Amino acid sequence: MSKDDPWRVYEEEIASKTILKQSVNGHSHRRTGARSPRSSAGTLRLDEIRSVLTTALSEACWTSHVEEMFKKMVASNGYVSWEKLCTYILQQQKHNGDSSEINHDVFSSEPLIRHCLYNKQEPITRIVEVNHPPPLRYVTVSKGGNLIVWNSHLHAMKTLELSGDPGEKSGLHRQFKSWTTDAVYMPNMHKMAVATMSRDIRIFDVSSSVCSEEFRLFGLSHVATTLCYWYDVKAPGERCVLIWGDEKGSVNLLWFLQPHKGLFETPFSDQSGPKLVFFPDICRQTLMVSYMQPPKMHNELINRIIYEPHANLLVTSSESATSSLVIMDINQRRNNYIWKIDKGVRCFDISWPLNLLVTAGLESSIRMWNRYVTSRPVAVLHGHATTVVDVLVHQALAKIFSYSKDAVLKIWDIQSQYCVKTVPLRFPNIQTGYSPEQGSFPLLLSRAGGHTLLVSCREYLALIRLRPVGSKDGPKTFSCTLYIPDLKQVVAACVDSSLVVWDVTTGRKHIEVKNAHGHEEITALAADPGQQRLITAAANGTIKVWNLLNGQPLHNLEAVSDTEVTGVICLHDNKLLALGWSQVVAQYNIGDLQDTHVRAGELWKCGRLHSDDILAVDHCPSLRLLATGSYDGEIIIWMVETQRPVTRIQRPQTGRVCPPIDRLLFLQKRAQDRRCRGRAILLSSQGGYVCWWNVSGSKRKHGQFYVPHRDNECVKGLSTNVDNSLLITGDGSGSIQIWNISQYALSDELVNKQPPLQHAWKAHTGAIVSMEVLEQSGQLFLVSMSVDHTARVWTSDGGCVGSFGQGQLWELSNPHTYQVSREINSPAREEEKDRTEMSKSELTKSNSDLTVWGQSSRGSARVNRIFSKDFCQQTASVPNPEEHPSLHTSNRESRAELLSSSDSFSPVLQSKETIWDHMSLDLEKKMAIRQDRRLVFGDIDSTKLYRIGNECTPFQALKTVEMSQPEDIPTRPEVLSRSQGYSRATDLSSALLSSDSSGHSGTFSD
């Protein structure tokens, strides 16, 4: 780093780019700070702002959205300045525009239009997606009873025409003389149901290329006008249900109890054609089917029906003004929600996670509703010139698709409630002043086909490819996380120098900042006490301050070193502390908002007390203490006011090797209680152990226990709840443990056993890098981030709420919206079994100090340094290091020679003392080599480090010499000719290891 120009590193990095995404429901809340005298003129309190606005305008202007906006701008002193209000509004408008330009381009291709010649100019009633078994197919059902099977590129593959009624005269080709009303696919049985005006439902087998009619359920009491089907994805062989609404306003549910055995009890018959099932007789087939009919809610025919299985709700609509739309509990345990809309509802769609209901009737407008409020809509969208015939909600894109009779497709942004795109589809049958006949269900959103929208217009079919959600961004590799309680948001920092802010109540992305520190990995996060500013630190020593509300950068802080910053602490007086591999504590003042470049203040008075890189830090405001932990296992407790150390724990000693400190955690609630201040209030994670320390008494260590259920694992996730009754840990195997520590380490005796384990489960397939604990409505939730590119929210008993970035949003207060994944959120019973087996040896394993060592923190790759095997290595037993002679020698050369003799140890079983001697010599050898390298090569220029795959060379001098092909080595001609056909060793190895790749490769052709 240049001493003359400390800001050059900021000028040379790639400019950051902020993408602001507003939440739909606006769950952000903020508590106003304690009142204090105004800092300057032109400021108002929140109650004063409300009084002024309601007096000047009306009481109705003060809505929840307005109040939320002002709460976000309230400073720590409880006031809002006029300058801050104007800046906030301008920045919001700017970023809304930027976000619109990025997100409104939802189409990735031009519409592909096909003519359904076999429809005989009859309109398409329904488009059905058949995605299993592969390949993907689409089936169009015309009003006249013609079925056409299309491939994913809209090439017609097969046609089929419905046959006539059973009562007609026999013939080779019985003509279908009725109309179809709807169709639905039944994935778990590979069948498709088609309803007709003949009061029957026909079931087709679509499991093969030969699409044939298998069953015909006839004799319905009324015509089925709309169909819906549900089955349990995780148990496809369990009971499933076919639901239909009829012309008289009734809902019918037909449960198939044993779908793996068949749909109906049909006697053996040698007659060809479909098996006929008389509907009034199905009451006798109690082993196969079950029929029920809920109370009638509509007086006119039902045109749409949707089933919500988790809450057991039915949503139906009709064109009746008295019962336009109804949300009904099938079991009648809850009151029904009834919407009364003039001219009724012709089509609707609902998003359960967003609580969003979208309806359209005979008018050209679209209404957006909160599904719990029937009195008035949230918004009315105007823009269509003719009647809207279908609507769809694309939750992942936060868009609404609407389609009108004149073949105009409009896309609406849910958040802004504006039309962002209008697409007049150029169907050949569209003429000026003439609207062709449209089918009952002209839209289909296909997610299996890579987010595809299919639109029908009479006998024409169009396919439009949509832009995949998050297609421009690959999976994120997370480095650290931070929870903002007041905003109910989670900030995730990534290795690629990007920041993502998520709304934890819904899982929606709020802000994304790309290239926050150029290309440098973000290594530390912190928020100011007012929780309006975010501080980030990177691996090159740079530190930045951001506006949490809109993602705008506020300050660039002078870097005191070009080494990694591992911890940032914000104090209440606009003071900021930064520390890391530089081994010093740097202090900044970020109180001046006009100062975009903040100089570093004087370093703390004591200078470098740590003899190795600082890896962990935590702050205790009630005691005004700061704890820092370094790579050599030392912990120093500082008094913040005096900038001097209070005590030092695990100081490096000759012959004693301690594992690096992974995490430090103050138990804030215990620290506030005077009765507990003489007990353990500081926790450290090192080598897989959680150690409990007293920072004030003479006796330092009060307890320790090993966390992972396997050896050679470390603990990177360490957090607790507000009252310090629970300890939450996350280890290198991807497991989460919840411990009851309400009574742990409260006595003067050393505790070497584990606290009660309440829950443990496998949360990730990779190591956990960071964890946060949050409380919502009295419930405890966890946020975990892993190297497997996933960030998830969990309940306290191991239930998976969801993964950030998934298409399906959730509602934290509604368990029915949680992700159901038995593979992820089931408790790890095998893990608990392993813990039981390990409990017998826990006393010997937890005795006294630990002996763990790893690679150099300065030279290793940061990601590999955290999860390398050597870094988490531990001994089978841990005797007292003081009982063994010192291995230290002043002569560095003789010391290395002495330690090199330990390589010849035999791997046979030895006594505990012999194992200890071997491990101590091995660890001391690694320390000596590390110190020798530093002595020879001096300070390491981190900018010259380079990576090879997942490894990183520790020193720029230790570069691998270019390898040349050996000469004069006898090689068979066929081997030599084969090796020359590959450009990389990986290609050669993959070809040699594969038996016959050409014989097993193949794709499904359309």
Side-chain angles (χ1 to χ4, degrees), residues 135-136 151-153 155 157 1004-1006:
L136 174 66
N151 64 8
S152 57
H153 301 288
H155 295 301
M157 301 171 58
F1004 289 101
S1005 59
D1006 294 328

Side-chain angles (χ1 to χ4, degrees), residues 112-130:
L112 177 64
I113 299 178
R114 292 285 188 264
H115 186 202
C116 304
L117 296 174
Y118 302 97
N119 280 11
K120 302 176 183 179
Q121 296 187 349
E122 291 284 351
I124 297 175
T125 300
R126 170 73 86 168
I127 310 168
V128 179
E129 177 187 20
V130 180

Side-chain angles (χ1 to χ4, degrees), residues 534-608:
L534 176 70
I535 297 90
T536 61
N540 62 347
T542 57
I543 305 172
K544 292 186 178 182
V545 182
W546 308 79
N547 188 328
L548 256 176
L549 305 180
N550 51 36
Q552 282 295 297
L554 301 177
H555 305 287
N556 292 333
L557 278 58
E558 179 186 4
V560 298
S561 172
D562 60 356
T563 56
E564 180 175 320
V565 177
T566 56
V568 177
I569 299 295
C570 291
L571 306 179
H572 285 276
D573 51 356
N574 284 320
K575 295 291 192 304
L576 188 147
L577 305 178
L579 56 160
W581 290 8
S582 62
Q583 304 172 15
V584 297
V585 181
Q587 183 169 299
Y588 302 87
N589 191 328
I590 57 174
D592 188 1
L593 298 178
Q594 305 299 328
D595 190 4
T596 57
H597 291 76
V598 180
R599 289 275 185 180
E602 294 184 0
L603 301 180
W604 272 25
K605 300 174 182 178
C606 294
R608 285 184 171 87

Side-chain angles (χ1 to χ4, degrees), residues 50 52-67:
R50 176 171 184 173
V52 171
L53 289 179
T54 54
T55 302
L57 301 175
S58 65
E59 188 69 31
C61 74
W62 189 260
T63 63
S64 59
H65 299 288
V66 175
E67 183 176 4

